[in-house]
């Protein structure tokens, strides 16, 4: 069991445990310090195994433009160290010019490539406001260069009353042949944070 978390210095650290005793965590140490030009804190780490001894470590960091951005570093083991950290993944671009943020990557391997679910601000975004945000999906052949899918449209239809202001923080699981997505849904900005119902992934199709 590998648990990545934000440490007191604003970087990302690692604690490990065994599957037999997953709550008995042992602190390992720092695995990533903020890259140049990125303010602390880092957050929302996600580890992708591309092959033996080949890991990509995604994270988000606070930059000047576009505020929150998704970064990536590389490592040979799940314990790091992760090096070569860079922000603003190739191909994400500005979904809404001058207003976009990119946060909380969740990456899965499928169809011979990789798919990332993430959220981005889609309206007037203020630093620290928490929203409004919407969910998007991107694809990549290597986990580094990305293309936002579905003509850069939101991937979740904002039909639930809780999804007025924010869809964010995706996690996905496979159940048989079906995929299910979990996300945070927020209305009235950050006043009332609600969690969307566990439901089949609602995907915008061409």
């Amino acid at each position: 069991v590998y648990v990545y978390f934000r440490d007191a210095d604003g970087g990302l650290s690692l604690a490990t445990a065994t599957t037999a005793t997953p709550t008995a965590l042992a602190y390992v140490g720092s695995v990533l310090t903020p890259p140049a030009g990125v303010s602390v804190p880092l957050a929302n780490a996600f580890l992708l195994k591309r092959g033996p001894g080949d890991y990509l470590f995604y994270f988000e960091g606070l930059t000047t433009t576009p505020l929150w951005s998704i970064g990536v570093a590389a490592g040979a083991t799940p314990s790091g160290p992760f090096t070569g950290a860079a922000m603003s993944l190739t191909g994400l671009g500005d979904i809404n010019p001058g207003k976009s943020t990119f946060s909380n990557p969740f990456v899965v391997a499928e169809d011979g490539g990789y798919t990332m679910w993430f959220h981005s601000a889609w309206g007037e975004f203020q630093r620290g406001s928490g929203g409004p945000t919407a969910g998007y999906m991107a694809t990549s052949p290597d986990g580094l260069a990305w293309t936002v899918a579905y003509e850069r449209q939101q991937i979740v239809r904002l039909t639930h009353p809780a999804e007025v202001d924010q869809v964010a923080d995706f996690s996905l699981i496979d159940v048989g042949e079906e995929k299910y997505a979990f996300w945070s849904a927020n209305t009235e900005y950050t006043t009332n944070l609600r969690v969307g119902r566990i439901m089949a992934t609602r995907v915008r199709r061409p």
Side-chain angles (χ1 to χ4, degrees):
V1 178
Y2 295 83
V3 178
Y4 304 98
F5 61 95
R6 185 170 62 204
D7 56 37
D9 296 324
L12 293 169
S13 287
L14 168 67
T16 61
T18 66
T19 54
T21 56
T23 60
L25 293 168
Y27 178 71
V28 176
S30 174
V31 294
L32 186 69
T33 56
V38 177
S39 302
V40 295
L42 304 181
N44 293 326
F46 187 91
L47 186 69
L48 172 69
K49 182 178 182 179
R50 293 194 299 181
D54 183 9
Y55 294 85
L56 292 180
F57 187 71
Y58 299 92
F59 60 94
E60 65 180 60
L62 194 59
T63 59
T64 302
T65 301
L67 302 181
W68 287 102
S69 294
I70 297 172
V72 65
T77 72
S79 301
F82 300 103
T83 60
M87 303 303 296
S88 299
L89 293 179
T90 301
L92 292 187
D94 244 2
I95 291 177
N96 294 290
K99 301 176 183 177
S100 292
T101 66
F102 305 99
S103 300
N104 207 92
F106 191 101
V107 185
V108 295
E110 60 181 6
D111 300 328
Y114 303 95
T115 300
M116 176 194 296
W117 292 62
F118 64 98
H119 65 258
S120 173
W122 55 268
E124 294 293 343
F125 187 91
Q126 300 294 325
R127 184 185 295 268
S129 71
T133 63
Y136 296 87
M137 191 171 74
T139 59
S140 172
D142 58 5
L144 296 171
W146 294 88
T147 300
V148 181
Y150 305 116
E151 298 181 349
R152 309 176 79 79
Q153 298 298 307
Q154 300 172 24
I155 200 67
V156 174
R157 298 183 187 277
L158 305 182
T159 57
H160 192 275
E163 296 168 345
V164 173
D165 293 323
Q166 190 176 57
V167 166
D169 305 328
F170 286 101
S171 294
L172 275 72
I173 61 171
D174 287 322
V175 180
E177 296 182 355
E178 296 183 327
K179 282 187 171 61
Y180 287 79
F182 304 81
W183 61 86
S184 298
N186 183 17
T187 188
E188 298 178 9
Y189 289 84
T190 55
T191 303
N192 296 299
L193 181 62
R194 308 174 202 172
V195 179
R197 292 178 298 138
I198 300 174
M199 60 185 73
T201 305
R202 293 178 291 170
V203 176
R204 181 189 296 273
R205 296 297 184 187

